[in-house]
Amino acid sequence: MIKNLVRGFGALSLALVPLLSSPAAQAAPAPEVTLLADAVGLVKVTEEDRTGYTRTKFKHWNSGDDAGDGCNTRAEVLLAEAVVAPTVESGCKLIGGTWRSYYDGQEVTSAGSLDIDHMVPLAEAWDSGASGWTAARREAYANDQGADVSLVAVTARTNRQKSDQDPADWMPPSPEAQCRYVGEWVATKLRWQLTADDRELEALKVYAEGPCEDTIVHYTLAI
């Protein structure tokens, strides 16, 4: 049934194309919705190359989406993902609040116990195409709040266990999180037109053709 709904959505999107003919509509990439297996099939495969990578080539955290709020990208993500909103004090110091780290299902009540994870790690992004980007585009990637899945607040422990590994080598410890994670990984790769190597692609296919076959991927191309 889910497959039919997704295909129906695609047909509806095609029917709406004539209505989106204004210059303003054409300027913004259209959201894409597809089943995970189809999304995986859209990821290009190349060998990875980490030559020249340093974390400093991805400037973060910058002043965030709202340069006037006094909060950097990290703090803005924490505010957006809070289950119970923290108090924001001078200098964007966050007091109190509650978060749920979906990688491990843990409830966290201190912002300092959380990391903001890049869904596709910076080193992996470099290997997969970002080495050829401008410094400005790498900064945009590292601070991307244009998609809810690009940056995620998780426990520092799980983020550091993940490090720069792709799904061939690391998955969230919570089984309930894994299909969501694979879908968001693929969505980020497609959003930024990043590639995958053979091992990564095979790991993604295992989930897409097995336990996560009904997972739906939403993404919009980054400008």
Side-chain angles (χ1 to χ4, degrees), residues 74-136:
R74 170 185 161 81
E76 288 182 356
V77 173
L78 288 170
L79 288 168
E81 295 196 0
V83 177
V84 177
T87 300
V88 183
E89 296 191 345
S90 177
C92 199
K93 183 177 181 181
L94 306 184
I95 304 298
T98 303
W99 293 263
R100 184 172 179 79
S101 168
Y102 94 79
Y103 288 0
D104 52 10
Q106 296 298 305
E107 185 176 282
V108 180
T109 56
S110 169
S113 298
L114 292 160
D115 281 355
I116 304 302
D117 181 39
H118 293 92
M119 174 54 59
V120 175
L122 302 181
E124 170 71 19
W126 178 272
D127 297 350
S128 306
S131 60
W133 294 351
T134 63

Side-chain angles (χ1 to χ4, degrees), residues 48 50 124 161-172 181 185 197 199-201 203-204 207:
E48 293 186 351
R50 195 158 298 184
E124 170 71 19
Q161 287 173 347
K162 173 184 174 180
S163 186
D164 58 8
Q165 299 176 95
D166 68 33
D169 297 306
W170 187 90
M171 289 291 289
Y181 181 77
W185 178 279
D197 63 16
R199 287 186 68 247
E200 176 187 347
L201 189 70
L204 295 173
Y207 287 93

Side-chain angles (χ1 to χ4, degrees), residues 11-219:
L12 178 60
S13 298
L14 290 173
L16 290 174
V17 167
L19 302 178
L20 300 176
S21 57
S22 70
Q26 292 176 345
E32 300 288 345
V33 182
T34 185
L35 285 166
L36 178 58
D38 294 331
V40 170
L42 296 174
V43 179
K44 294 181 180 179
V45 182
T46 62
E47 293 185 6
E48 293 186 351
D49 184 359
R50 195 158 298 184
T51 302
Y53 169 74
T54 61
R55 192 171 174 84
T56 56
K57 290 182 177 178
F58 294 80
K59 181 182 177 182
H60 69 291
W61 305 110
N62 64 19
S63 58
D65 280 358
D66 183 355
D69 66 1
C71 297
N72 64 12
T73 300
R74 170 185 161 81
E76 288 182 356
V77 173
L78 288 170
L79 288 168
E81 295 196 0
V83 177
V84 177
T87 300
V88 183
E89 296 191 345
S90 177
C92 199
K93 183 177 181 181
L94 306 184
I95 304 298
T98 303
W99 293 263
R100 184 172 179 79
S101 168
Y102 94 79
Y103 288 0
D104 52 10
Q106 296 298 305
E107 185 176 282
V108 180
T109 56
S110 169
S113 298
L114 292 160
D115 281 355
I116 304 302
D117 181 39
H118 293 92
M119 174 54 59
V120 175
L122 302 181
E124 170 71 19
W126 178 272
D127 297 350
S128 306
S131 60
W133 294 351
T134 63
R137 188 164 180 82
R138 287 196 290 268
E139 180 179 351
Y141 177 84
N143 296 274
D144 181 21
Q145 294 184 69
D148 293 340
V149 305
S150 296
L151 301 171
V152 57
V154 295
T155 55
R157 178 175 58 86
T158 54
N159 184 46
R160 292 164 198 183
Q161 287 173 347
K162 173 184 174 180
S163 186
D164 58 8
Q165 299 176 95
D166 68 33
D169 297 306
W170 187 90
M171 289 291 289
S174 172
E176 294 78 12
Q178 292 178 357
C179 289
R180 174 182 170 183
Y181 181 77
V182 172
E184 294 183 356
W185 178 279
V186 174
T188 304
K189 286 255 167 162
L190 292 175
R191 171 170 170 75
W192 289 92
Q193 297 178 285
L194 296 170
T195 61
D197 63 16
D198 288 330
R199 287 186 68 247
E200 176 187 347
L201 189 70
E202 288 308 310
L204 295 173
K205 285 181 177 179
V206 167
Y207 287 93
E209 296 170 3
C212 306
E213 65 176 350
D214 289 333
T215 297
I216 297 175
V217 174
H218 304 254
Y219 70 95

